[in-house]
């Protein structure tokens, strides 16, 4: 059943790739037919920087605060995904299993509190 | 004194008067046309009676011409092909292709109509007319825009990473279209009836980060990179509240299958927005961040960083970035409708009106809400947004998940009838949500009564007195 379903995802994926490629292809065709102008020059093809020349390349260092959020995302999202199997079977399980889930969620909350305390959630 | 009607005082009143005159012009059509319209209405009524008879009789159910559920057509097509003795791949591929074409036509149609609707509605919010020259009511404006974008010169920065630069406009469409897979449009009419539909939705939605960051990185532009970093940080932060909100939905309905979630809501006649108001709000707000729409479009804040991650894109590529924003908006509308607004059902109305039309109406309603938000709210600062996700939405969502877990186990053990516990849960959750939000906001240092005492801007600059003087004089 499941492979059959994901085969349909593959069909949809082909269409999803084709959908934006169609206007791009038409645009390319316009370029071949000389409907679309193409007059490149060094100033036009320079990096955009509202009037002045761009200073250096962007492929360098940047602020580490973004990585903190990415790390937090990885930890929390994976933990939440692990909660889904519990959520599906929850209603049929005995009542005390809520406590086990609460323990798991408690670890999640503890991690959040720790990150908060360490000022990892502040945007500095 | 004079025969001339008084000129309406404000632009808004003027616009209302204009619309009224349009209506009067429509009412003043000739008698023949009115008679024709009456005949048409009568014919429609009679044919509706006939349809009603057939529907109540039940002889329509499951026939291939039962267009209330287009799943019937594909089902009959499949069984016909199997009877004819085709290779098993043929019916499979045919139905998959038909479904994919259907999804694409929905997305494509919405891209065209939606951009027109957005510009017109936004214009009305700002007391302008909006595009109204190209075709009737400016309806051909999106087509004109598309053609214009396709024949624009493509400017590619010299220093950009060429291969990665071309990929993002295509990659960014993958989640916007694959996300439509599990959405049920009617009872049998869903492209992918996955039993892990919610998980699939979350997985697909997190793909959106890829295209954004590729675009920002490959452009080799400071604005692009800054916009991409901001957007990625915001998107990953808001993915957790979305997962937690959907976790509450899964807990209560006990299934990750989207069609089962809709069936649960239809079965108990209870939309989940009433049962889980905080989850619905979280999902809606976090989704606006997830798809970079105002008020959370900090990644493309044009007053700060030009166009954000797609600063360096021109022509049709930039058009695709703008189009995907709209496509994502309607996808979120479909998800919102499916999870919280009862999906394709409408308290029994789905027997009479095709389910896909009901779902489309709900998508339109959510889309209108998005346009409304865009016309009303200012943009939030990035630190406000991140703090809101991590310090407000996530802790409260976790508390809500525990609450819903208790409720779900009570509900599973409850004997008939279901109305009492559901009504109790709805009231309890609403009250607790309000109280929780108030207390937590206080704990975080936001006090509404202090905020109200602060002077509004008009009084601060003496504008209110000036306005009063003008009004008096």
């Amino acid at each position: 059943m499941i492979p059959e379903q994901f085969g349909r995802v593959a069909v949809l994926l082909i269409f999803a790739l084709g959908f934006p490629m169609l206007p791009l292809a038409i645009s390319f065709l316009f370029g071949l037919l000389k409907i679309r102008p193409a007059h490149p020059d060094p100033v036009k093809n320079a990096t955009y920087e509202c009037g002045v020349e761009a200073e250096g390349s962007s492929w360098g260092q940047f602020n580490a605060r973004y990585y903190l959020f990415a790390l937090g995302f990885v930890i929390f999202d994976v933990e939440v995904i692990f909660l889904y199997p519990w959520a599906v079977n929850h209603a049929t399980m005995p009542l005390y299993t809520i406590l086990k889930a609460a323990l798991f969620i408690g670890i999640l909350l503890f991690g959040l509190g720790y990150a908060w305390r360490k000022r990892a959630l502040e945007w500095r | 004194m004079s025969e001339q009607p008084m000129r309406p005082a404000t632009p808004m009143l003027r616009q209302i008067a204009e619309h009224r005159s349009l209506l009067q012009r429509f009412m003043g059509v000739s008698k023949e046309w009115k008679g024709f319209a009456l005949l048409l209405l009568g014919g429609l009524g009679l044919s509706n009676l006939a349809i009603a008879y057939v529907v109540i009789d039940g002889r329509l159910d499951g026939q291939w011409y039962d267009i209330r559920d287009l799943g019937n057509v594909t089902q009959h097509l499949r069984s016909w092909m199997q009877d004819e003795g085709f290779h098993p791949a043929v019916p499979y591929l045919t139905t998959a292709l038909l479904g994919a074409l259907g999804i694409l036509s929905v997305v494509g149609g919405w891209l065209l109509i939606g951009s027109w609707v957005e510009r017109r509605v936004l214009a009305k919010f700002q007391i302008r007319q909006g595009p109204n020259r190209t075709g009737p009511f400016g309806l051909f404006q999106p087509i004109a825009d598309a053609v214009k974008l396709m024949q624009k010169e493509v400017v590619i920065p010299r220093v950009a990473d060429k291969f990665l630069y071309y990929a993002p406009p295509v990659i960014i469409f993958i989640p916007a279209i694959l996300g439509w897979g599990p959405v049920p449009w009617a009872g049998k009419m869903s492209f992918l009836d996955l039993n892990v539909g919610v998980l699939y939705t979350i997985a697909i939605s997190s793909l959106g980060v890829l295209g954004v960051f590729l675009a920002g990185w490959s452009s080799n532009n400071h604005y692009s990179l800054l916009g991409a970093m901001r957007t990625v940080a915001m998107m990953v932060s808001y993915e957790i509240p979305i997962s937690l909100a959907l976790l509450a939905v899964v807990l209560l309905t006990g299934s990750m299958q989207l069609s089962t979630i809709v069936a649960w809501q239809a079965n108990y006649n209870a939309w989940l927005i009433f049962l889980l108001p905080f989850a619905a709000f979280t999902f809606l707000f976090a989704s606006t961040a997830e798809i970079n729409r105002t008020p959370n479009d900090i990644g493309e804040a044009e007053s700060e960083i030009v166009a954000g991650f797609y600063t360096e894109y021109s022509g049709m590529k930039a058009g695709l970035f703008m189009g995907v924003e709209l496509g994502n908006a309607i996808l979120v509308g479909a998800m919102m409708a499916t999870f919280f607004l009862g999906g394709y059902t409408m308290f029994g109305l789905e027997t009479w009106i095709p389910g896909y039309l009901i779902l489309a109406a709900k998508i339109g309603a959510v889309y209108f809400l998005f346009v409304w938000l865009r016309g009303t709210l200012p943009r939030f600062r990035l630190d406000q947004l991140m703090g809101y996700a991590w310090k407000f939405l996530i802790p409260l969502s976790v508390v809500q998940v525990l609450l819903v877990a208790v409720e779900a186990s009570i509900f599973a053990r409850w004997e008939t009838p279901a109305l009492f516990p559901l009504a109790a849960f709805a009231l309890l959750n609403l009250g607790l949500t309000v109280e929780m939000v108030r207390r937590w906001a206080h704990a975080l240092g936001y006090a509404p009564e202090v905020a109200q005492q602060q002077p509004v801007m008009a009084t601060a600059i003496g504008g209110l007195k000036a306005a009063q003087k003008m009004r008096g004089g």
Side-chain angles (χ1 to χ4, degrees), chain B residues 19-87:
Chain B
H19 285 173
R20 196 169 291 154
S21 74
L22 269 177
L23 191 71
Q24 276 164 0
R25 213 188 305 162
F26 181 72
M27 295 300 277
V29 289
S30 67
K31 261 186 184 159
E32 288 79 15
W33 279 107
K34 272 181 186 162
F36 179 68
L38 268 180
L39 263 178
L40 203 68
L41 275 177
L44 275 177
L46 279 180
S47 58
N48 275 3
L49 277 181
I51 292 172
Y53 172 71
V54 176
V55 168
I56 293 174
D57 201 33
R59 70 177 71 169
L60 198 61
D61 294 344
Q63 299 293 333
W64 68 267
Y65 45 81
D66 180 9
I67 54 162
R68 288 173 302 168
D69 187 348
L70 292 185
N72 288 321
V73 179
T74 48
Q75 201 181 31
H76 279 263
L77 193 66
R78 185 185 292 214
S79 59
W80 174 78
M81 282 177 167
Q82 276 161 357
D83 292 345
E84 290 290 309
F86 284 112
H87 189 267

Side-chain angles (χ1 to χ4, degrees), chain A residues 40-108:
Chain A
D41 74 63
V43 177
K44 196 190 273 180
N45 289 355
T47 306
Y48 176 80
E49 185 64 79
C50 39
V52 294
E53 272 186 41
E55 190 66 41
S57 165
S58 303
W59 297 338
Q61 300 171 328
F62 40 74
N63 204 321
R65 63 191 170 188
Y66 297 100
Y67 294 111
L68 284 179
F69 284 97
L71 279 176
F73 161 72
V74 169
I75 296 162
F76 282 92
D77 209 42
V78 169
E79 286 210 40
V80 172
I81 292 299
F82 277 139
L83 282 172
Y84 272 91
W86 161 69
V88 173
N89 298 315
H90 165 67
T92 54
M93 286 194 292
L95 270 176
Y96 67 88
T97 48
I98 291 182
L99 292 178
K100 295 184 182 174
L103 190 69
F104 191 77
I105 294 172
I107 296 170
L108 199 135

Side-chain angles (χ1 to χ4, degrees), chain B residues 227-304:
Chain B
M229 290 304 283
R230 281 180 175 194
T231 313
V232 169
M234 190 178 71
M235 282 167 97
V236 298
S237 296
Y238 275 93
E239 210 134 278
I240 307 165
I242 285 183
S243 318
L244 284 167
L246 293 185
L247 186 65
V249 171
V250 173
L251 266 172
L252 202 55
T253 56
S255 173
M256 283 202 273
Q257 198 166 16
L258 266 65
S259 55
T260 316
I261 291 173
V262 172
W264 192 93
Q265 298 178 64
N267 184 21
Y268 294 114
N269 279 320
W271 290 0
L272 284 171
I273 191 172
F274 302 129
L275 292 172
L276 307 166
F278 188 71
F281 167 74
T282 309
F283 186 81
L284 189 71
F285 189 85
S287 298
T288 59
E290 193 73 12
I291 63 178
N292 299 314
R293 273 188 77 89
T294 22
N296 300 336
D297 61 343
I298 197 72
E300 42 194 274
E302 63 276 286
S303 54
E304 301 164 23

